[in-house]
Amino acid sequence: MLNPATLMRRATLCCMVFEILWHSGQGLNVCMSGSATSCEECILIHPSCAWCAQEGFGRVRCDLTQSLQIRGCMAQFIEFPSSQTSILKSNPLSTKGSAPSQNEVTQIMPQKISVSLRPGDQTSFQVQVRQVEDYPVDLYYLMDLSLSMKDDLVTIHNLGTKLTEEMSRLTSNFRLGFGTFVDKNISPFSYTEPKYQNNPCNGYKLFPNCVPSFGFRHVLSLTDKVDRFNQEVQKQMVSRNRDAPEGGFDAIVQAAVCKEEIGWRKEAFHLLVFATDDVPHLALDGKLGGLVNPNDGECHLDKNNENSASTHMDYPSLGLLGEKLAENNIYLIFAVTRRYYVIYKNYTALIPGTTVEILDMDSKNIIQLIVNAYNNIRSKVELTVSDQPEDISLSFTATCQDGQPLPGLRKCSDLKIGDTVSFDVNVEARSCPQGAASQSFTIKPVGFKDRLEVTVDYSCDCGCTRAAQTNSSVCSSTGTFTCGKCYCEPGYLGSHCECQEGESGNNPLGACREAEGKRMCSGRGECSCNQCLCYESEFGKVYGSFCECDDFSCARHKGVLCAGHGECHCGECKCHAGYIGDNCNCSTETTSCLADDGQLCSGRGHCVCGHCHCSEPGAFGDTCEKCPTCPDACGTKRECIECRLFNSGPLADNQTCQRLCKDEIITVEALDTDDSAGVLCLYKSENDCVMKFMYSEHANGKSILTALKEPECGGGPDALMVLLAVVGSILMVGIILLAAWKLAITVHDRRAFAQFQNARCRARYEVASNPVYKQPGASDAVREDFSMYDKPFNGGHH
């Protein structure tokens, strides 16, 4: 009888065998199918593969770890590198920004980590971010001084005082700077004729005096002296350029990279306010003026604090602009007039860390605009990655203030100062770089000086390789013994390098066939010394013990092997992180499925391969955002009607309304409710009026909201008329009731009197017809007097 320990061991062994067989049946045991010839090749096939370096183990050394152990490989000879993460520096998060030394303020944790990556394997780490309270703020006000901004210049004469008062509620450490721009002082961007050199407004009747054009002029470095700011602003005069676009992007780059001249503090929150009423020139526009040198993104301020390279280099590109803003941790606020809001809104999608606000024509709302933009910026955290190696793939999962993980997101919104959010980061190496040297990249929140530095090492080598023995006796002194296997010198073959090429073994046919009835070396090689020598192929590598494998016979997507998102191993695609499917064409990324409101497929479908499959009847669109027949359609569109037409409702602030409400809105005097393609929506407004609108989707995919110009409001009731009506109704009811009562009494009395008369008549008749009865004695006169009472009472008529 077997003891319990033996039974347990056998049961464990059976479970391991079953697991391996199940994996093999499911096609997950790719290690043996890869037919790796070395330990390095084995660990590259799949993260689950291990190599047995034990001498004399057998022909197939690359397999699952459990399978190798079952087959007799001792644990100390199993090579199975894995990905790991080590935290090198992790100072705790700060709560206040007003520390004795600003270098002690920490808003991201950890600060340094090291990861060791095995290709195809993943490791992960968590990043925590907190925006601390009372953090120092540097704000540089960059203003367009072209002629159309002359009324705005008057408005901001005391901007410094008012802005400092508002910002003092948000931070105790605030500094303010000022700069201006117009455009490149060359033709055709500016007036360059001699008569305009000193006064471009010469001959312009509406505004005859202005200063010469200039590209960028730094006026005041960042300072906490508010009076200085006001004085410098009041000294400024507008200029005049020829074409409508301005050279503002040239100025932004200079304001960002001239750190010492501007006075940006490393420990402060950097805000750059860009105020203009027109569109900017972009890269390649400079060719119109003969400027062929691209913008170099360097500081070119001369002794007059002007951009000396303005007339020598082209305008910057959006990519360069975003790069310089990110390098210097600067948040850019576009303060532009309503006419150009959409244009600058599109720029914010291309330049990380930027936001746009609507500026009044005379800039009178600039204070509130800056405060709103600052609060909006501080209410969100977005991670960016710089210097990411090409063979490294990253995926993020955000956990914001509600505690719900959001796969595919690296951004949290609607935060309060002091909230802590976290991001889980998965790292995978798709391959081993040449030389497998260490690399690094940086993760940082947009606009923060704090960052996480990640050092990457690659586990592409096996430990047993370092113990290789050249000319080993195990290999007949004609090969190198490495990781339990002989690697023969050229011209030698065999498991111990015992044969020379051209010699035949004892059983060549059996040793070179994968199975009985199969072709020799799979028809793709020749058998020599009991080994298959695979032919070369122009399509790729042919390999395997029987030349049964190659790296070019996998599924393709649009003609690309494994869709370009995986590696081909023995006829099967091994997908990189973030992709699945037989041909690796299905992305697991969900960012493209996020609707503008942050919901996955607008809550009406599922994200499959990076695309939304709408499950709600009637829903369509890239993110299932269109659905006129959905129960919540009218409610969702109502909020857009409120904020766009009446600046009210939950989406009233500019940023949220413009981001979520992109439908075209048409206002009309009367609605056509007979439109079968639209859905009639109505709701009751705050003043008890009824607002009506039609929601329809056109064939071109455009959403149209047709709304009444004003809600329908009925006239209010007259209080006196209501009172009179109520009193009159009560009186009328009373009169009717009295009349009914009187009628009832009258009918009742007449019936009673009629019965009385009938009774008297019957009684008199009975007396007159009684022979015994005699009339009492009385004179005739008296009887005649009383006889009148015997007459019927009918008003004197018979």
Side-chain angles (χ1 to χ4, degrees):
M1 183 174 178
L2 297 176
N3 58 44
T6 303
L7 289 173
M8 182 63 69
R9 283 196 299 271
R10 291 191 176 183
T12 304
L13 182 62
C14 289
C15 291
M16 293 175 68
V17 171
F18 174 77
E19 182 181 357
I20 292 172
L21 291 175
W22 183 85
H23 278 294
S24 300
Q26 296 294 317
L28 297 179
N29 186 4
V30 298
C31 309
M32 298 179 68
S33 63
S35 299
T37 59
S38 67
C39 182
E40 283 73 19
E41 288 183 8
C42 177
I43 63 176
L44 286 176
I45 292 175
H46 195 270
S48 63
C49 297
W51 178 268
C52 180
Q54 184 173 311
E55 183 180 350
F57 174 72
R59 189 166 188 176
V60 180
R61 294 176 176 271
C62 186
D63 203 345
L64 299 171
T65 303
Q66 300 94 322
S67 180
L68 292 175
Q69 291 176 338
I70 292 172
R71 290 166 51 203
C73 185
M74 300 177 66
Q76 64 265 33
F77 293 107
I78 294 179
E79 294 283 341
F80 185 69
S82 59
S83 299
Q84 297 178 342
T85 300
S86 300
I87 298 177
L88 305 180
K89 182 179 180 182
S90 183
N91 294 333
L93 295 173
S94 304
T95 56
K96 287 281 187 180
S98 53
S101 172
Q102 289 299 326
N103 293 327
E104 299 176 3
V105 177
T106 304
Q107 298 184 95
I108 185 172
M109 183 180 74
Q111 295 81 42
K112 287 185 180 181
I113 65 171
S114 173
V115 295
S116 177
L117 297 178
R118 173 179 174 174
D121 192 17
Q122 290 187 358
T123 187
S124 62
F125 54 86
Q126 188 179 78
V127 180
Q128 291 186 315
V129 182
R130 177 190 295 161
Q131 297 221 44
V132 300
E133 299 177 9
D134 195 25
Y135 200 70
V137 176
D138 287 347
L139 188 149
Y140 193 77
Y141 192 84
L142 185 58
M143 184 176 181
D144 178 1
L145 278 191
S146 58
L147 189 57
S148 57
M149 295 285 286
K150 58 183 182 299
D151 53 343
D152 302 71
L153 187 58
V154 175
T155 304
I156 68 166
H157 275 177
N158 294 314
L159 172 66
T161 304
K162 298 176 182 178
L163 185 57
T164 302
E165 289 176 358
E166 289 293 330
M167 293 299 293
S168 64
R169 303 173 185 175
L170 305 174
T171 177
S172 61
N173 194 341
F174 178 65
R175 297 202 311 176
L176 196 57
F178 185 67
T180 61
F181 67 91
V182 184
D183 207 345
K184 296 180 182 296
N185 193 19
I186 58 175
S187 180
F189 311 117
S190 298
Y191 294 94
T192 56
E193 292 84 346
K195 65 177 181 178
Y196 295 127
Q197 286 296 318
N198 297 322
N199 181 15
C201 297
N202 186 12
Y204 186 62
K205 296 181 180 180
L206 297 178
F207 199 86
N209 295 308
C210 56
V211 298
S213 296
F214 56 90
F216 165 68
R217 179 179 295 154
H218 170 53
V219 178
L220 178 66
S221 299
L222 291 163
T223 179
D224 56 1
K225 294 179 173 54
V226 180
D227 293 339
R228 280 280 316 279
F229 181 91
N230 292 336
Q231 291 169 6
E232 293 298 336
V233 170
Q234 292 166 11
K235 293 178 184 178
Q236 302 306 307
M237 292 181 62
V238 295
S239 182
R240 185 187 183 199
N241 59 322
R242 175 171 284 174
D243 59 349
E246 320 291 7
F249 281 8
D250 243 350
I252 291 176
V253 170
Q254 293 301 301
V257 300
C258 298
K259 295 180 285 188
E260 294 183 2
E261 292 80 357
I262 302 298
W264 296 114
R265 294 176 291 177
K266 290 183 179 181
E267 67 277 6
F269 194 81
H270 302 158
L271 293 179
L272 176 57
V273 180
F274 178 80
T276 184
D277 63 349
D278 220 314
V279 295
H281 278 296
L282 298 174
L284 302 183
D285 286 357
K287 289 190 174 182
L288 296 172
L291 303 179
V292 295
N293 294 323
N295 196 294
D296 61 5
E298 301 295 331
C299 180
H300 294 285
L301 290 187
D302 58 19
K303 61 182 180 180
N304 296 321
N305 279 331
E306 293 190 8
N307 181 11
S308 61
S310 175
T311 57
H312 303 295
M313 291 190 301
D314 192 9
Y315 297 96
S317 65
L318 291 175
L320 178 65
L321 194 66
E323 177 186 336
K324 295 305 174 182
L325 291 172
E327 283 180 2
N328 296 283
N329 307 318
I330 294 175
Y331 276 107
L332 176 61
I333 302 172
F334 288 124
V336 300
T337 52
R338 184 178 298 275
R339 179 180 179 185
Y340 300 107
Y341 176 86
V342 175
I343 294 177
Y344 283 91
K345 183 66 176 177
N346 292 334
Y347 291 154
T348 64
L350 302 173
I351 309 174
T354 58
T355 185
V356 59
E357 297 285 345
I358 296 177
L359 180 70
D360 288 346
M361 292 303 295
D362 58 356
S363 296
K364 64 177 180 294
N365 69 328
I366 187 63
I367 303 287
Q368 193 58 44
L369 182 151
I370 293 173
V371 172
N372 289 344
Y374 174 79
N375 288 330
N376 182 46
I377 291 170
R378 294 278 278 167
S379 70
K380 59 188 176 185
V381 168
E382 181 177 5
L383 296 185
T384 60
V385 181
S386 57
D387 302 323
Q388 180 178 344
E390 293 183 358
D391 60 310
I392 297 291
S393 63
L394 301 174
S395 60
F396 293 81
T397 298
T399 304
C400 302
Q401 67 276 17
D402 58 0
Q404 296 296 321
L406 302 171
L409 281 187
R410 57 174 76 180
K411 177 180 178 180
C412 286
S413 303
D414 300 324
L415 303 177
K416 297 178 181 178
I417 301 297
D419 284 350
T420 302
V421 296
S422 63
F423 301 88
D424 292 313
V425 185
N426 284 329
V427 191
E428 178 184 346
R430 293 189 291 267
S431 60
C432 284
Q434 199 70 18
S438 296
Q439 301 192 58
S440 63
F441 61 92
T442 301
I443 297 176
K444 65 187 292 292
V446 175
F448 283 47
K449 72 175 182 65
D450 306 74
R451 63 190 63 205
L452 167 61
E453 297 177 3
V454 183
T455 304
V456 180
D457 293 310
Y458 297 87
S459 298
C460 297
D461 297 324
C462 297
C464 57
T465 304
R466 294 188 287 271
Q469 302 173 15
T470 58
N471 298 322
S472 172
S473 59
V474 179
C475 304
S476 306
S477 300
T478 55
T480 302
F481 185 68
T482 303
C483 297
K485 184 179 178 180
C486 286
Y487 295 89
C488 305
E489 299 287 344
Y492 291 90
L493 300 172
S495 59
H496 296 284
C497 305
E498 71 277 13
C499 295
Q500 287 186 321
E501 286 188 18
E503 294 181 359
S504 298
N506 295 328
N507 187 19
L509 298 181
C512 294
R513 295 184 191 275
E514 188 174 7
E516 188 67 30
K518 293 289 185 74
R519 297 178 65 187
M520 186 88 64
C521 296
S522 304
R524 302 198 290 182
E526 63 180 24
C527 184
S528 178
C529 198
N530 298 343
Q531 281 186 308
C532 285
L533 299 178
C534 302
Y535 299 140
E536 293 184 0
S537 172
E538 60 181 325
F539 302 108
K541 179 183 177 183
V542 178
Y543 61 96
S545 300
F546 307 100
C547 302
E548 75 278 13
C549 293
D550 60 59
D551 60 0
F552 53 82
S553 297
C554 292
R556 297 172 182 264
H557 179 68
K558 296 182 179 180
V560 180
L561 191 69
C562 299
H565 302 304
E567 308 294 337
C568 181
H569 287 289
C570 205
E572 186 176 355
C573 286
K574 305 306 172 189
C575 303
H576 298 154
Y579 293 91
I580 58 175
D582 293 338
N583 54 10
C584 302
N585 68 320
C586 182
S587 172
T588 59
E589 189 71 30
T590 59
T591 305
S592 57
C593 295
L594 289 174
D596 289 332
D597 60 0
Q599 292 191 76
L600 205 63
C601 298
S602 303
R604 299 173 180 144
H606 306 284
C607 189
V608 180
C609 296
H611 300 282
C612 283
H613 288 199
C614 305
S615 56
E616 182 82 18
F620 63 100
D622 292 339
T623 57
C624 305
E625 75 280 7
K626 303 178 185 297
C627 186
T629 58
C630 288
D632 62 339
C634 286
T636 303
K637 300 302 179 183
R638 166 191 172 172
E639 295 176 348
C640 292
I641 292 289
E642 289 179 326
C643 75
R644 290 273 295 277
L645 294 186
F646 308 111
N647 195 28
S648 61
L651 307 180
D653 83 275
N654 287 332
Q655 288 292 323
T656 306
C657 186
Q658 295 293 336
R659 178 172 61 86
L660 298 182
C661 302
K662 300 176 181 177
D663 303 326
E664 180 181 353
I665 299 180
I666 302 173
T667 55
V668 296
E669 296 290 345
L671 282 178
D672 179 14
T673 57
D674 296 331
D675 183 8
S676 59
V679 177
L680 176 63
C681 301
L682 52 88
Y683 65 90
K684 198 172 185 180
S685 61
E686 295 179 354
N687 53 358
D688 291 333
C689 296
V690 176
M691 184 63 192
K692 297 180 181 179
F693 63 94
M694 294 288 293
Y695 169 30
S696 59
E697 298 285 348
H698 284 200
N700 59 5
K702 198 172 186 179
S703 300
I704 305 293
L705 301 178
T706 306
L708 293 175
K709 286 186 177 179
E710 295 292 339
E712 294 180 348
C713 302
D718 190 333
L720 180 59
M721 292 300 295
V722 171
L723 179 61
L724 293 176
V726 172
V727 173
S729 299
I730 294 173
L731 291 175
M732 183 62 68
V733 170
I735 292 172
I736 292 173
L737 290 175
L738 286 173
W741 177 77
K742 180 63 177 176
L743 179 62
I745 294 298
T746 302
V747 171
H748 179 269
D749 289 349
R750 286 189 176 182
R751 285 179 179 175
F753 186 74
Q755 292 175 357
F756 172 73
Q757 288 290 92
N758 290 335
R760 287 191 61 187
C761 288
R762 286 197 301 272
R764 190 176 67 177
Y765 171 78
E766 291 173 355
V767 171
S769 60
N770 190 348
V772 181
Y773 177 78
K774 291 184 177 180
Q775 189 74 14
S779 63
D780 293 339
V782 174
R783 283 197 300 272
E784 186 176 349
D785 291 335
F786 281 94
S787 64
M788 58 177 294
Y789 294 106
D790 296 331
K791 297 177 181 179
F793 181 76
N794 55 5
H797 297 281
H798 295 282

